[in-house]
Coordinates of all heavy atoms in Angstrom, one line a residue:
M1 N 19.0 4.3 7.9 CA 18.7 3.7 9.1 C 17.3 3.0 9.0 O 16.4 3.6 8.6 CB 18.7 4.7 10.3 CG 18.3 4.1 11.6 SD 18.4 5.4 12.8 CE 18.9 4.4 14.2
E2 N 17.2 1.7 9.4 CA 16.0 1.0 9.4 C 15.1 1.5 10.5 O 15.4 1.6 11.7 CB 16.3 -0.5 9.6 CG 15.1 -1.4 9.6 CD 14.6 -1.6 8.1 OE1 15.3 -1.5 7.2 OE2 13.3 -1.7 8.0
Q3 N 13.8 1.8 10.1 CA 12.8 2.4 11.1 C 11.7 1.4 11.3 O 10.8 1.7 12.1 CB 12.3 3.7 10.6 CG 13.4 4.8 10.5 CD 12.9 6.1 10.1 OE1 11.7 6.4 10.0 NE2 13.8 7.0 9.8
R4 N 11.6 0.3 10.6 CA 10.5 -0.6 10.7 C 10.5 -1.3 12.1 O 11.5 -1.6 12.7 CB 10.6 -1.8 9.7 CG 10.2 -1.3 8.3 CD 10.3 -2.4 7.3 NE 10.1 -1.9 6.0 CZ 11.1 -1.4 5.3 NH1 12.3 -1.3 5.8 NH2 10.9 -0.9 4.1
Q5 N 9.2 -1.4 12.6 CA 9.1 -2.1 13.9 C 8.7 -3.5 13.7 O 8.7 -4.3 14.7 CB 8.0 -1.3 14.7 CG 8.4 0.1 15.1 CD 7.4 0.8 15.8 OE1 6.3 0.3 16.1 NE2 7.6 2.1 16.0
S6 N 8.3 -3.9 12.5 CA 7.9 -5.3 12.2 C 8.6 -5.8 11.0 O 8.8 -5.0 10.1 CB 6.4 -5.3 11.9 OG 5.6 -4.8 13.0
P7 N 9.0 -7.1 10.9 CA 9.6 -7.6 9.8 C 8.7 -7.6 8.5 O 7.5 -7.8 8.7 CB 10.0 -9.0 10.2 CG 9.1 -9.4 11.3 CD 8.7 -8.1 12.0
R8 N 9.3 -7.5 7.4 CA 8.6 -7.5 6.1 C 8.5 -9.0 5.7 O 9.4 -9.8 5.9 CB 9.3 -6.7 5.0 CG 9.2 -5.3 5.2 CD 9.9 -4.6 4.1 NE 11.4 -4.7 4.2 CZ 12.3 -4.3 3.4 NH1 11.9 -3.6 2.3 NH2 13.5 -4.4 3.6
R9 N 7.4 -9.3 5.0 CA 7.2 -10.7 4.4 C 6.9 -10.5 3.0 O 5.9 -9.7 2.6 CB 6.1 -11.4 5.2 CG 6.4 -11.7 6.6 CD 5.2 -12.4 7.3 NE 4.0 -11.6 7.4 CZ 3.8 -10.6 8.2 NH1 4.7 -10.2 9.1 NH2 2.6 -9.9 8.2
P10 N 7.6 -11.2 2.1 CA 7.2 -11.0 0.6 C 5.8 -11.6 0.4 O 5.5 -12.7 0.9 CB 8.3 -11.9 -0.1 CG 9.3 -12.3 0.9 CD 8.7 -12.0 2.3
V11 N 5.0 -10.9 -0.3 CA 3.7 -11.4 -0.6 C 3.2 -10.6 -1.9 O 3.4 -9.4 -2.0 CB 2.7 -11.3 0.5 CG1 2.4 -9.8 0.9 CG2 1.4 -12.0 0.3
R12 N 2.5 -11.3 -2.8 CA 1.9 -10.7 -3.9 C 0.4 -10.7 -3.8 O -0.2 -11.8 -3.9 CB 2.4 -11.4 -5.2 CG 1.9 -10.8 -6.5 CD 2.4 -11.5 -7.7 NE 1.6 -11.1 -8.9 CZ 2.0 -10.1 -9.7 NH1 3.2 -9.4 -9.4 NH2 1.3 -9.7 -10.7
L13 N -0.2 -9.6 -3.6 CA -1.6 -9.4 -3.5 C -2.1 -8.4 -4.5 O -1.4 -7.5 -4.8 CB -2.0 -8.9 -2.1 CG -1.7 -9.8 -0.9 CD1 -1.9 -9.1 0.4 CD2 -2.5 -11.1 -0.9
D14 N -3.3 -8.7 -5.1 CA -3.9 -7.7 -6.0 C -4.6 -6.7 -5.1 O -5.4 -7.0 -4.3 CB -4.9 -8.3 -6.9 CG -4.3 -9.3 -7.8 OD1 -3.2 -9.0 -8.4 OD2 -4.8 -10.5 -8.0
I15 N -4.3 -5.4 -5.3 CA -4.8 -4.3 -4.4 C -5.4 -3.2 -5.3 O -4.8 -2.8 -6.3 CB -3.6 -3.7 -3.6 CG1 -2.8 -4.7 -2.8 CG2 -4.2 -2.6 -2.7 CD1 -3.4 -5.2 -1.6
Q16 N -6.5 -2.8 -4.9 CA -7.1 -1.6 -5.6 C -6.9 -0.4 -4.6 O -7.2 -0.5 -3.5 CB -8.6 -1.7 -5.9 CG -9.1 -0.4 -6.5 CD -10.5 -0.6 -7.1 OE1 -10.9 -1.6 -7.6 NE2 -11.3 0.5 -6.9
I17 N -6.2 0.6 -5.1 CA -6.0 1.8 -4.3 C -6.8 3.0 -4.9 O -7.1 3.1 -6.1 CB -4.5 2.3 -4.3 CG1 -4.0 2.5 -5.8 CG2 -3.6 1.2 -3.7 CD1 -2.6 3.1 -5.8
T18 N -7.4 3.7 -4.0 CA -8.2 4.9 -4.3 C -7.7 6.1 -3.6 O -7.5 6.1 -2.4 CB -9.7 4.6 -3.9 OG1 -10.1 3.4 -4.5 CG2 -10.6 5.7 -4.4
Y19 N -7.5 7.2 -4.4 CA -7.0 8.4 -3.9 C -8.2 9.3 -3.4 O -9.3 9.0 -3.8 CB -6.2 9.2 -4.9 CG -5.1 8.5 -5.6 CD1 -4.9 8.5 -6.9 CD2 -4.2 7.7 -4.8 CE1 -3.8 7.8 -7.5 CE2 -3.2 7.0 -5.4 CZ -3.0 7.1 -6.7 OH -2.0 6.4 -7.3
P20 N -8.0 10.3 -2.6 CA -9.1 11.2 -2.1 C -9.8 11.8 -3.3 O -11.0 12.1 -3.2 CB -8.4 12.2 -1.3 CG -7.1 11.6 -0.8 CD -6.7 10.6 -1.9
T21 N -9.2 11.9 -4.5 CA -9.8 12.5 -5.6 C -10.8 11.6 -6.3 O -11.6 12.0 -7.2 CB -8.8 12.9 -6.7 OG1 -8.1 11.7 -7.1 CG2 -7.8 13.9 -6.2
G22 N -10.8 10.3 -5.9 CA -11.7 9.3 -6.5 C -10.9 8.5 -7.5 O -11.4 7.4 -7.9
E23 N -9.8 8.9 -8.0 CA -9.0 8.2 -9.0 C -8.5 6.8 -8.3 O -8.2 6.8 -7.1 CB -7.8 9.0 -9.4 CG -6.9 8.3 -10.4 CD -5.6 9.1 -10.7 OE1 -5.4 10.2 -10.2 OE2 -4.9 8.6 -11.5
S24 N -8.6 5.8 -9.1 CA -8.1 4.5 -8.5 C -7.2 3.7 -9.5 O -7.3 4.0 -10.7 CB -9.3 3.6 -8.1 OG -10.1 3.3 -9.2
H25 N -6.4 2.8 -9.0 CA -5.5 2.0 -9.8 C -5.5 0.6 -9.2 O -5.6 0.4 -8.0 CB -4.1 2.5 -9.8 CG -3.9 3.9 -10.4 ND1 -3.9 4.1 -11.7 CD2 -3.8 5.1 -9.8 CE1 -3.7 5.4 -12.0 NE2 -3.7 6.0 -10.8
Q26 N -5.3 -0.4 -10.1 CA -5.1 -1.8 -9.7 C -3.6 -2.0 -9.6 O -2.9 -1.7 -10.6 CB -5.6 -2.7 -10.8 CG -6.6 -3.8 -10.5 CD -7.3 -4.0 -9.2 OE1 -8.2 -3.3 -8.8 NE2 -6.8 -5.0 -8.5
V27 N -3.1 -2.4 -8.5 CA -1.6 -2.6 -8.3 C -1.4 -4.0 -7.6 O -2.3 -4.7 -7.2 CB -1.0 -1.5 -7.5 CG1 -1.2 -0.1 -8.1 CG2 -1.6 -1.4 -6.1
V28 N -0.1 -4.4 -7.5 CA 0.2 -5.6 -6.7 C 1.2 -5.2 -5.6 O 2.0 -4.2 -5.7 CB 0.8 -6.7 -7.6 CG1 -0.2 -7.2 -8.6 CG2 2.1 -6.2 -8.3
S29 N 1.2 -5.9 -4.5 CA 2.1 -5.7 -3.4 C 3.4 -6.4 -3.7 O 3.4 -7.4 -4.4 CB 1.4 -6.1 -2.1 OG 1.2 -7.5 -2.1
R30 N 4.4 -5.9 -3.0 CA 5.7 -6.6 -3.1 C 6.0 -7.3 -1.7 O 6.5 -8.4 -1.6 CB 6.9 -5.6 -3.4 CG 8.2 -6.3 -3.4 CD 9.3 -5.3 -3.7 NE 9.6 -4.5 -2.5 CZ 10.4 -3.4 -2.5 NH1 11.0 -3.0 -3.6 NH2 10.6 -2.7 -1.4
D31 N 5.7 -6.6 -0.6 CA 5.8 -7.1 0.7 C 4.9 -6.4 1.7 O 4.3 -5.4 1.4 CB 7.3 -7.0 1.2 CG 7.8 -5.6 1.1 OD1 7.3 -4.7 1.8 OD2 8.9 -5.4 0.5
I32 N 4.8 -7.0 2.9 CA 3.8 -6.5 3.9 C 4.4 -6.8 5.2 O 5.2 -7.7 5.4 CB 2.4 -7.2 3.7 CG1 1.4 -6.5 4.5 CG2 2.5 -8.7 4.1 CD1 0.0 -6.9 4.2
S33 N 4.1 -5.9 6.2 CA 4.4 -6.1 7.6 C 3.2 -5.8 8.4 O 2.2 -5.4 7.9 CB 5.6 -5.2 8.0 OG 5.2 -3.9 8.0
D34 N 3.3 -5.9 9.7 CA 2.2 -5.5 10.6 C 1.9 -4.0 10.5 O 0.7 -3.6 10.7 CB 2.5 -5.8 12.1 CG 2.6 -7.3 12.4 OD1 2.0 -8.1 11.5 OD2 3.2 -7.7 13.4
G35 N 2.9 -3.2 10.1 CA 2.7 -1.8 10.1 C 2.4 -1.2 8.7 O 2.0 0.0 8.6
G36 N 2.7 -1.9 7.6 CA 2.5 -1.3 6.3 C 2.7 -2.3 5.2 O 2.8 -3.5 5.4
I37 N 2.7 -1.7 4.0 CA 2.8 -2.5 2.8 C 3.6 -1.7 1.7 O 3.5 -0.5 1.7 CB 1.4 -2.9 2.3 CG1 1.4 -3.9 1.2 CG2 0.6 -1.6 1.9 CD1 0.0 -4.5 0.9
F38 N 4.3 -2.5 0.8 CA 4.9 -1.8 -0.3 C 4.2 -2.2 -1.6 O 3.9 -3.4 -1.8 CB 6.4 -2.3 -0.5 CG 7.1 -1.5 -1.5 CD1 7.8 -0.3 -1.1 CD2 7.1 -1.8 -2.8 CE1 8.5 0.4 -2.1 CE2 7.8 -1.1 -3.8 CZ 8.5 0.0 -3.4
L39 N 3.7 -1.2 -2.4 CA 2.9 -1.5 -3.6 C 3.7 -1.1 -4.8 O 4.4 -0.1 -4.8 CB 1.6 -0.7 -3.5 CG 0.7 -0.9 -2.4 CD1 -0.5 0.0 -2.5 CD2 0.3 -2.4 -2.3
M40 N 3.7 -1.9 -5.8 CA 4.4 -1.7 -7.1 C 3.5 -0.7 -7.9 O 2.3 -1.0 -8.2 CB 4.6 -3.0 -7.8 CG 5.3 -4.0 -7.0 SD 6.9 -3.5 -6.5 CE 7.8 -3.6 -8.0
L41 N 4.0 0.4 -8.2 CA 3.3 1.5 -9.0 C 4.3 2.4 -9.6 O 5.2 3.0 -8.9 CB 2.3 2.2 -8.1 CG 1.5 3.3 -8.7 CD1 0.5 2.6 -9.8 CD2 0.7 4.0 -7.7
E42 N 4.2 2.7 -10.9 CA 5.2 3.6 -11.5 C 5.1 4.9 -10.9 O 4.1 5.4 -10.4 CB 5.0 3.6 -13.0 CG 3.6 4.2 -13.4 CD 3.4 4.2 -14.9 OE1 3.2 3.1 -15.5 OE2 3.4 5.3 -15.5
K43 N 6.3 5.6 -10.9 CA 6.5 6.8 -10.2 C 5.5 7.9 -10.6 O 5.0 8.6 -9.7 CB 7.9 7.3 -10.4 CG 8.3 8.5 -9.7 CD 8.8 8.2 -8.3 CE 9.4 9.4 -7.6 NZ 9.4 9.3 -6.2
S44 N 5.1 8.0 -11.8 CA 4.2 9.0 -12.3 C 2.8 8.9 -11.8 O 2.0 9.9 -11.8 CB 4.2 9.1 -13.8 OG 3.6 7.9 -14.3
K45 N 2.4 7.7 -11.2 CA 1.1 7.5 -10.7 C 1.0 7.5 -9.2 O 0.0 7.4 -8.6 CB 0.5 6.2 -11.3 CG 0.3 6.3 -12.7 CD -0.3 5.0 -13.2 CE -0.5 5.1 -14.7 NZ -1.1 3.8 -15.3
Q46 N 2.2 7.7 -8.6 CA 2.3 7.6 -7.1 C 1.8 8.9 -6.5 O 2.1 10.0 -6.9 CB 3.7 7.4 -6.6 CG 4.2 6.0 -7.0 CD 5.7 5.9 -6.6 OE1 6.1 6.5 -5.6 NE2 6.4 5.0 -7.3
P47 N 1.0 8.8 -5.4 CA 0.6 10.1 -4.7 C 1.8 10.6 -3.9 O 2.8 9.8 -3.7 CB -0.5 9.6 -3.8 CG -0.3 8.1 -3.6 CD 0.4 7.6 -4.9
L48 N 1.7 11.8 -3.4 CA 2.8 12.4 -2.7 C 3.0 11.7 -1.3 O 2.0 11.2 -0.7 CB 2.6 13.9 -2.5 CG 2.5 14.7 -3.8 CD1 2.1 16.1 -3.5 CD2 3.8 14.6 -4.6
I49 N 4.2 11.8 -0.7 CA 4.4 11.4 0.6 C 3.5 12.2 1.5 O 3.4 13.4 1.4 CB 5.9 11.6 1.0 CG1 6.7 10.5 0.2 CG2 6.1 11.4 2.5 CD1 8.2 10.7 0.4
G50 N 2.9 11.5 2.5 CA 1.9 12.2 3.4 C 0.5 12.1 3.0 O -0.4 12.3 3.8
E51 N 0.2 11.7 1.7 CA -1.2 11.5 1.3 C -1.8 10.3 1.8 O -1.1 9.2 2.0 CB -1.2 11.5 -0.3 CG -1.1 12.9 -0.8 CD -1.5 13.0 -2.3 OE1 -2.7 12.7 -2.6 OE2 -0.7 13.3 -3.1
L52 N -3.1 10.3 2.1 CA -3.9 9.2 2.6 C -4.5 8.6 1.4 O -5.1 9.2 0.6 CB -4.9 9.8 3.6 CG -5.7 8.8 4.4 CD1 -4.8 8.1 5.4 CD2 -6.8 9.5 5.1
I53 N -4.5 7.2 1.3 CA -5.2 6.5 0.3 C -5.9 5.3 0.9 O -5.7 4.9 2.0 CB -4.2 6.0 -0.8 CG1 -3.2 5.0 -0.3 CG2 -3.6 7.2 -1.5 CD1 -2.4 4.4 -1.4
Y54 N -6.9 4.8 0.2 CA -7.7 3.7 0.6 C -7.3 2.5 -0.1 O -7.1 2.5 -1.4 CB -9.2 4.0 0.3 CG -10.2 3.0 0.9 CD1 -10.4 3.0 2.3 CD2 -10.8 2.1 0.1 CE1 -11.3 2.0 2.8 CE2 -11.7 1.2 0.6 CZ -11.9 1.1 1.9 OH -12.8 0.2 2.4
L55 N -7.1 1.3 0.6 CA -6.7 0.1 0.0 C -7.8 -1.0 0.1 O -8.4 -1.1 1.2 CB -5.4 -0.4 0.7 CG -4.3 0.5 0.9 CD1 -3.3 -0.2 1.8 CD2 -3.6 0.8 -0.4
E56 N -7.9 -1.8 -0.9 CA -8.8 -2.9 -0.9 C -8.1 -4.1 -1.6 O -7.6 -4.0 -2.7 CB -10.1 -2.7 -1.6 CG -11.1 -1.8 -0.9 CD -12.4 -1.7 -1.7 OE1 -12.4 -0.9 -2.7 OE2 -13.3 -2.3 -1.3
I57 N -8.0 -5.2 -0.8 CA -7.4 -6.4 -1.5 C -8.5 -6.9 -2.4 O -9.7 -7.1 -1.9 CB -7.0 -7.5 -0.4 CG1 -5.9 -6.9 0.5 CG2 -6.6 -8.7 -1.1 CD1 -5.5 -7.8 1.6
S58 N -8.2 -7.2 -3.6 CA -9.2 -7.5 -4.6 C -8.9 -8.9 -5.3 O -7.8 -9.4 -5.2 CB -9.3 -6.4 -5.7 OG -8.1 -6.3 -6.3
G59 N -10.0 -9.4 -5.9 CA -9.8 -10.6 -6.7 C -9.5 -11.8 -5.9 O -9.8 -11.9 -4.7
E60 N -8.9 -12.8 -6.5 CA -8.6 -14.1 -5.9 C -7.5 -14.0 -4.9 O -7.4 -14.9 -4.1 CB -8.3 -15.1 -7.0 CG -9.5 -15.4 -7.9 CD -9.1 -16.4 -9.0 OE1 -8.1 -17.1 -8.8 OE2 -9.9 -16.5 -9.9
S61 N -6.7 -13.0 -4.9 CA -5.6 -13.0 -3.9 C -6.1 -12.8 -2.5 O -5.5 -13.2 -1.6 CB -4.6 -11.8 -4.2 OG -5.2 -10.6 -4.1
A62 N -7.3 -12.3 -2.4 CA -7.9 -12.1 -1.0 C -8.4 -13.5 -0.5 O -8.4 -13.7 0.7 CB -9.1 -11.1 -1.1
G63 N -9.0 -14.3 -1.4 CA -9.5 -15.6 -0.9 C -10.8 -15.5 -0.2 O -11.5 -16.4 0.0
E64 N -11.2 -14.3 0.2 CA -12.4 -14.0 0.9 C -12.6 -12.5 0.8 O -11.7 -11.7 0.4 CB -12.4 -14.4 2.3 CG -11.2 -13.8 3.1 CD -11.2 -14.3 4.5 OE1 -10.5 -15.3 4.8 OE2 -11.8 -13.7 5.4
T65 N -13.8 -12.0 1.3 CA -14.0 -10.6 1.3 C -13.4 -10.0 2.6 O -13.7 -10.4 3.7 CB -15.5 -10.3 1.3 OG1 -16.1 -10.9 0.1 CG2 -15.8 -8.8 1.3
L66 N -12.4 -9.1 2.4 CA -11.8 -8.4 3.5 C -12.1 -6.9 3.5 O -12.3 -6.3 2.5 CB -10.2 -8.6 3.3 CG -9.7 -10.0 3.3 CD1 -8.2 -10.0 3.0 CD2 -10.0 -10.7 4.6
P67 N -12.2 -6.4 4.7 CA -12.5 -4.9 4.8 C -11.3 -4.1 4.2 O -10.2 -4.5 4.3 CB -12.6 -4.7 6.3 CG -11.9 -5.8 7.0 CD -12.0 -7.0 6.0
G68 N -11.6 -3.0 3.7 CA -10.6 -2.1 3.2 C -10.0 -1.3 4.4 O -10.4 -1.4 5.5
T69 N -8.9 -0.6 4.1 CA -8.2 0.1 5.1 C -7.6 1.4 4.5 O -7.4 1.5 3.3 CB -7.1 -0.7 5.8 OG1 -6.6 0.0 6.9 CG2 -6.0 -1.0 4.9
E70 N -7.3 2.3 5.4 CA -6.6 3.5 4.9 C -5.1 3.4 5.3 O -4.8 2.7 6.2 CB -7.2 4.8 5.6 CG -8.6 5.1 5.2 CD -9.1 6.3 5.8 OE1 -8.9 6.5 7.0 OE2 -9.8 7.1 5.1
A71 N -4.3 4.0 4.4 CA -2.9 4.0 4.7 C -2.3 5.4 4.2 O -2.9 6.0 3.4 CB -2.2 2.9 3.9
I72 N -1.1 5.7 4.7 CA -0.5 7.0 4.4 C 0.8 6.6 3.6 O 1.5 5.7 4.0 CB -0.3 7.8 5.6 CG1 0.2 9.2 5.2 CG2 0.7 7.2 6.6 CD1 0.1 10.2 6.3
V73 N 1.1 7.4 2.6 CA 2.3 7.2 1.8 C 3.5 7.7 2.7 O 3.5 8.9 3.1 CB 2.3 7.9 0.5 CG1 3.6 7.7 -0.3 CG2 1.1 7.5 -0.3
V74 N 4.5 6.8 2.9 CA 5.6 7.2 3.7 C 7.0 7.1 3.0 O 8.0 7.6 3.5 CB 5.7 6.4 5.1 CG1 4.5 6.7 5.9 CG2 5.8 4.9 4.8
H75 N 7.0 6.4 1.8 CA 8.2 6.2 1.1 C 7.9 6.1 -0.4 O 6.9 5.4 -0.7 CB 8.9 5.0 1.6 CG 10.1 4.5 0.8 ND1 11.3 5.2 0.8 CD2 10.2 3.5 -0.1 CE1 12.1 4.6 0.0 NE2 11.5 3.6 -0.5
Q76 N 8.7 6.6 -1.2 CA 8.6 6.5 -2.7 C 9.9 5.9 -3.3 O 11.0 6.3 -2.8 CB 8.3 7.8 -3.4 CG 6.9 8.4 -3.0 CD 6.6 9.7 -3.7 OE1 7.5 10.6 -3.7 NE2 5.5 9.9 -4.2
A77 N 9.7 5.1 -4.3 CA 10.9 4.6 -5.0 C 10.4 4.5 -6.5 O 9.2 4.5 -6.8 CB 11.2 3.2 -4.5
P78 N 11.4 4.4 -7.4 CA 11.0 4.3 -8.8 C 10.0 3.2 -9.1 O 9.1 3.3 -10.0 CB 12.3 4.1 -9.6 CG 13.3 4.7 -8.7 CD 12.8 4.4 -7.3
E79 N 10.1 2.0 -8.4 CA 9.3 0.9 -8.7 C 8.0 0.8 -7.8 O 7.1 0.0 -8.1 CB 10.1 -0.4 -8.5 CG 10.4 -0.7 -7.0 CD 11.6 0.0 -6.5 OE1 12.2 0.9 -7.1 OE2 12.0 -0.4 -5.3
G80 N 7.9 1.7 -6.9 CA 6.6 1.7 -6.1 C 6.7 2.6 -4.9 O 7.6 3.5 -4.8
M81 N 5.8 2.3 -3.9 CA 5.7 3.2 -2.7 C 5.4 2.4 -1.5 O 4.8 1.3 -1.5 CB 4.6 4.2 -2.9 CG 3.3 3.6 -3.1 SD 2.1 4.9 -3.5 CE 0.6 3.9 -3.9
G82 N 6.0 2.9 -0.3 CA 5.7 2.3 0.9 C 4.6 3.0 1.7 O 4.6 4.2 1.7
L83 N 3.7 2.2 2.2 CA 2.5 2.8 2.9 C 2.5 2.3 4.4 O 2.9 1.2 4.7 CB 1.2 2.4 2.3 CG 1.1 2.7 0.8 CD1 -0.1 2.0 0.2 CD2 1.0 4.2 0.5
A84 N 2.1 3.2 5.3 CA 1.9 2.8 6.7 C 0.4 2.7 6.9 O -0.3 3.6 6.5 CB 2.5 3.8 7.6
F85 N 0.0 1.6 7.5 CA -1.4 1.5 7.8 C -1.8 2.5 8.9 O -1.0 2.8 9.8 CB -1.7 0.0 8.3 CG -1.5 -1.0 7.3 CD1 -0.7 -2.1 7.6 CD2 -2.0 -1.0 6.0 CE1 -0.4 -3.1 6.7 CE2 -1.7 -2.0 5.1 CZ -0.9 -3.0 5.4
I86 N -3.0 3.0 8.8 CA -3.6 3.9 9.8 C -4.2 3.1 10.9 O -5.0 2.2 10.7 CB -4.6 4.8 9.2 CG1 -4.1 5.6 8.0 CG2 -5.2 5.8 10.2 CD1 -2.9 6.6 8.3
E87 N -3.7 3.3 12.1 CA -4.2 2.6 13.2 C -5.5 3.1 13.7 O -5.7 4.3 14.0 CB -3.2 2.6 14.4 CG -3.5 1.7 15.5 CD -2.4 1.7 16.6 OE1 -1.3 2.0 16.3 OE2 -2.8 1.5 17.7
I88 N -6.5 2.3 13.8 CA -7.9 2.7 14.2 C -8.0 2.3 15.7 O -7.8 1.2 16.1 CB -9.0 2.0 13.4 CG1 -8.8 2.3 11.9 CG2 -10.4 2.4 13.9 CD1 -9.7 1.6 11.0
K89 N -8.4 3.4 16.4 CA -8.5 3.1 17.9 C -10.0 3.3 18.3 O -10.7 3.9 17.8 CB -7.6 4.1 18.7 CG -6.2 3.9 18.3 CD -5.3 4.8 19.2 CE -3.9 4.5 18.8 NZ -3.0 5.0 19.8

């Protein structure tokens, strides 16, 4: 059953992800929506569902300096993981 509240848009962005342990990886996105993003990352390097990670759009894909954001892992697949953006109030 589809649970998304916003449509996905295909987009390839260079993203640096950082785990709470300080470990980080350079990855690319597959798609994005208002509520989250899917990142391409082999299964062995994916954090567990429910873990919080920090995202920064990096390099030329950003086109400008953008603030980083936190997201929570909500879905895993062999080719990557789905993240929900943390809403700041």
